Amino acid sequence: MKKLTKLLALLFLITSFVSIQISLSNAQPPLIDPYSFFHIIPNPDGSITRIKEFYPTVPPNTSSTIAFSRDVPLDPVKKTWVRLYLPNKSEHDFNLPIIVFAHGGGFIILSTATPSVDSFLSNTANKLNVLVVSVEYRLAPEHRLPAAYDDVLDALYWVKENKDEWVSNYGDASRCILMGESVGGNIAYNVGLRASVLTRELQPLVIRGLVLIQPFFGGSNPNRVKYGNLQKMIDFLWHLSLPLGANLNNPYFNPMFGGGSRNLDNIKSLGWRIAIAGCDGDFIFDRQVEVFEFFKKQGVNVIRNFGKGFYHGVFIGNSTKAQELYQFVRNVFSPYITW
Ligand SMILES: *[C@@H]1O[C@H](CO)[C@@H](O)[C@H](O)[C@H]1NC(C)=O
Ligand SMILES: *[C@@H]1O[C@H](CO)[C@@H](O)[C@H](O)[C@H]1NC(C)=O
Ligand SMILES: *[C@@H]1O[C@H](CO)[C@@H](O)[C@H](O)[C@H]1NC(C)=O
């Protein structure tokens, strides 16, 4: 029964993300095929087809009371791009802190243009009064990790270059935060590790910290058995996204691997703050707790906002929880960042 509840929570995550209606009573938890579960079809060449009707997208919004958005190519060869969000405000529309964002979707599906993600980011720009740069990174299995990490790092260089009119007119690259949700939290963390040794190259861009919203990590995991079939779904995502031949004993998967990255020392000495938001109804919550405790033990300035109940994806899907998140982010970075 517990497994069923957790699987339903995962279903909720997917349905809330892509706005599809699955009749929960029709779900067959013990036997469900992960391909049909994620609405993807495997192809002989190793790629997958994402069934379009389950993955709607919305165009950028040029007239809004909340925030304006624009799509800008990032790397034409890789076909990556960014969606920028600028709050619609008459005042303070300059020198905004910049949030570089990575969306969720198990590394294999979804987009910054997914309606729920797009709407969340529009509100993020407005409520935090920031310029958001959301990265349309390459998906697995066509582009396995570290492709997504490479693409978000590209976006940091793109911001640094300051050629875009919104970035130069309204953004302040010296107050930059890397933020991500679900696998986006994993991406933000791994890109943060890399960026922590590139501070000189990235100037005038300065990262002040990371916001990891229900980050998707794996672990040495004494609880693997406990998750049962749900764990099979999670393993499926890793199987499609980790480099070919890599096993789960891997630093992308597990931040604690080998005692943790040596770059954590840079994050520490740079004074970055790491904000982690989660809730105990999330099926991967215990991993977030584990990672939080680990960062703390390493002496990293990590702050948590862990609540009760809810489910994976709630901060994107529920605007009340999103407000809580904005308040948390504000508290963590004030007065270190003046908003
Ligand atoms: C910006 O928001 C205001 C209301 O706050 C609205 O009147 C105005 O039309 C919006 N601007 C655009 C270009 O949509
Ligand atoms: C743009 O955002 C406004 C909310 O401010 C919404 O009412 C409108 O439908 C959006 N337009 C598009 C094309 O999404
Ligand atoms: C959203 O979250 C709030 C609490 O933060 C809760 O009261 C409300 O029921 C939630 N809405 C949905 C649709 O889950």
Side-chain angles (χ1 to χ4, degrees):
M1 218 36 227
K2 240 181 155 180
K3 277 181 198 162
L4 179 65
T5 313
K6 283 192 174 134
L7 194 64
L8 291 182
L10 182 63
L11 272 169
F12 198 101
L13 141 77
I14 303 300
T15 52
S16 64
F17 266 1
V18 298
S19 315
I20 53 172
Q21 302 301 321
I22 290 183
S23 162
L24 293 183
S25 58
N26 288 342
Q28 301 287 325
L31 296 169
I32 198 162
D33 163 46
Y35 287 99
S36 50
F37 181 79
F38 289 107
H39 303 291
I40 57 178
I41 300 164
N43 300 320
D45 66 356
S47 67
I48 57 174
T49 299
R50 298 158 185 86
I51 301 173
K52 272 215 169 73
E53 65 198 272
F54 292 103
Y55 297 108
T57 56
V58 287
N61 194 332
T62 51
S63 69
S64 165
T65 53
I66 304 166
F68 311 123
S69 48
R70 260 173 69 227
D71 292 347
V72 182
L74 182 57
D75 184 326
V77 176
K78 297 177 185 167
K79 299 201 178 82
T80 52
W81 47 275
V82 290
R83 181 165 288 187
L84 308 182
Y85 297 83
L86 181 67
N88 174 1
K89 300 228 168 122
S90 49
E91 324 159 35
H92 314 302
D93 248 355
F94 54 90
N95 269 348
L96 302 174
I98 298 177
I99 287 184
V100 175
F101 184 82
H103 67 80
F107 297 116
I108 64 165
I109 51 171
L110 304 188
S111 160
T112 183
T114 297
S116 56
V117 178
D118 181 72
S119 151
F120 168 78
L121 292 175
S122 196
N123 285 317
T124 302
N126 181 295
K127 293 293 191 310
L128 285 176
N129 206 29
V130 293
L131 178 66
V132 175
V133 177
S134 178
V135 188
E136 189 73 353
Y137 56 82
R138 289 169 298 169
L139 298 177
E142 293 84 356
H143 305 281
R144 289 170 177 272
L145 295 174
Y149 305 155
D150 294 343
D151 298 346
V152 174
L153 191 62
D154 285 352
L156 292 179
Y157 279 100
W158 179 85
V159 170
K160 161 218 158 77
E161 277 159 21
N162 198 25
K163 286 188 187 133
D164 182 81
E165 53 176 320
W166 280 11
V167 175
S168 58
N169 292 344
Y170 306 114
D172 176 3
S174 74
R175 290 179 297 152
C176 183
I177 293 171
L178 257 171
M179 173 163 139
E181 194 264 350
S182 187
V183 301
N186 176 296
I187 295 170
Y189 175 63
N190 280 289
V191 173
L193 287 177
R194 284 196 191 177
S196 73
V197 293
L198 298 170
T199 48
R200 210 165 288 152
E201 289 87 335
L202 285 169
Q203 271 175 12
L205 178 143
V206 181
I207 294 172
R208 304 303 186 107
L210 313 176
V211 178
L212 313 179
I213 308 162
Q214 298 183 298
F216 189 86
F217 291 119
S220 48
N221 202 349
N223 292 317
R224 288 182 69 78
V225 177
K226 176 181 109 184
Y227 285 111
N229 281 307
L230 181 57
Q231 187 63 51
K232 290 194 186 123
M233 292 294 174
I234 299 171
D235 287 353
F236 173 79
L237 294 174
W238 287 110
H239 168 73
L240 286 186
S241 54
L242 283 175
L244 280 174
N247 63 29
L248 295 182
N249 227 358
N250 183 299
Y252 297 161
F253 174 75
N254 177 10
M256 279 99 48
F257 175 79
S261 168
R262 267 174 289 156
N263 289 4
L264 275 175
D265 285 336
N266 302 323
I267 287 184
K268 224 159 51 178
S269 57
L270 290 165
W272 291 8
R273 296 176 182 198
I274 301 186
I276 305 186
C279 52
D280 71 2
D282 177 359
F283 63 96
I284 48 170
F285 179 66
D286 48 358
R287 193 74 54 258
Q288 293 151 19
V289 175
E290 211 179 339
V291 167
F292 168 80
E293 298 294 348
F294 173 73
F295 288 162
K296 217 169 108 180
K297 217 170 97 202
Q298 302 298 308
V300 174
N301 191 349
V302 61
I303 304 101
R304 71 184 156 183
N305 182 335
F306 289 161
K308 290 235 160 290
F310 293 107
Y311 48 90
H312 196 72
V314 67
F315 292 100
I316 301 281
N318 179 318
S319 58
T320 314
K321 292 296 280 181
Q323 296 299 331
E324 251 178 69
L325 174 76
Y326 300 143
Q327 194 53 51
F328 171 56
V329 172
R330 227 173 235 284
N331 290 345
V332 168
F333 290 97
S334 302
Y336 186 62
I337 282 191
T338 45
W339 297 91

